[in-house]
Amino acid sequence: MSTSPEISIYHNPACGTSRNTLAMIRQSGAEPQVIEYLNTPPSRAELVDLIGRMGITARDLLRRKGTPYDELGLDDSALSDDALIDAMMAHPILINRPIVVTPLGVKLCRPSEAVLDILPNPSIGDFTKEDGELVPGRNGE
């Protein structure tokens, strides 16, 4: 497996989608830089850059399940992107995952097979997720 410093994954090892995405990257023959973002959160500038490169809003990156989303009142549509980013900086668990960065783009990989759209080598063959779901291979793309 080749080391691919140009591929990074903002990863939560407790998340099945994140583990599946990491496994797909590795099955492609790449060894990404793994950033356990709960231990090493991105800086505000990095987070703003990732959001911009994904072409989404800060709200699109918010995770609700298993987070203080409701307690913080983050469903208030009047909250600005800056306010939502402030919340993610204070509580990194609010950042949805996994975020993958490759030379082909940056993407929130939910579902995990979305990573295939930005992998330099998406020909990983068949892949079975942890829950048993089969992701048919993308050979020869």
Side-chain angles (χ1 to χ4, degrees):
M1 187 175 308
S2 64
T3 301
S4 299
E6 71 277 0
I7 299 176
S8 303
I9 179 171
Y10 289 83
H11 178 62
N12 179 347
C15 170
T17 300
S18 198
R19 290 191 305 269
N20 284 322
T21 302
L22 178 57
M24 286 181 182
I25 295 168
R26 289 179 169 155
Q27 192 163 313
S28 82
E31 182 55 40
Q33 175 188 15
V34 178
I35 303 160
E36 291 190 22
Y37 72 94
L38 294 178
N39 298 329
T40 310
S43 69
R44 182 183 185 86
E46 289 168 329
L47 187 59
V48 169
D49 180 62
L50 289 167
I51 291 167
R53 291 171 67 193
M54 286 187 282
I56 64 174
T57 66
R59 183 165 298 285
D60 293 333
L61 190 57
L62 279 174
R63 180 169 178 83
R64 188 173 196 152
K65 182 179 171 187
T67 74
Y69 180 97
D70 291 323
E71 297 84 55
L72 295 172
L74 297 178
D75 58 349
D76 181 349
S77 62
L79 290 172
S80 68
D81 275 2
D82 280 339
L84 298 175
I85 290 168
D86 287 344
M88 286 186 262
M89 294 306 303
H91 306 277
I93 193 69
L94 288 165
I95 302 170
N96 214 341
R97 73 279 177 160
I99 299 168
V100 177
V101 179
T102 80
L104 301 178
V106 181
K107 192 166 197 152
L108 174 61
C109 294
R110 299 192 75 81
S112 52
E113 56 269 27
V115 75
L116 298 174
D117 296 336
I118 60 169
L119 283 180
N121 175 22
S123 301
I124 68 169
D126 290 344
F127 181 84
T128 303
K129 293 183 181 183
E130 290 180 1
D131 66 2
E133 179 186 347
L134 177 67
V135 177
R138 289 190 180 184
N139 295 313
E141 284 192 3

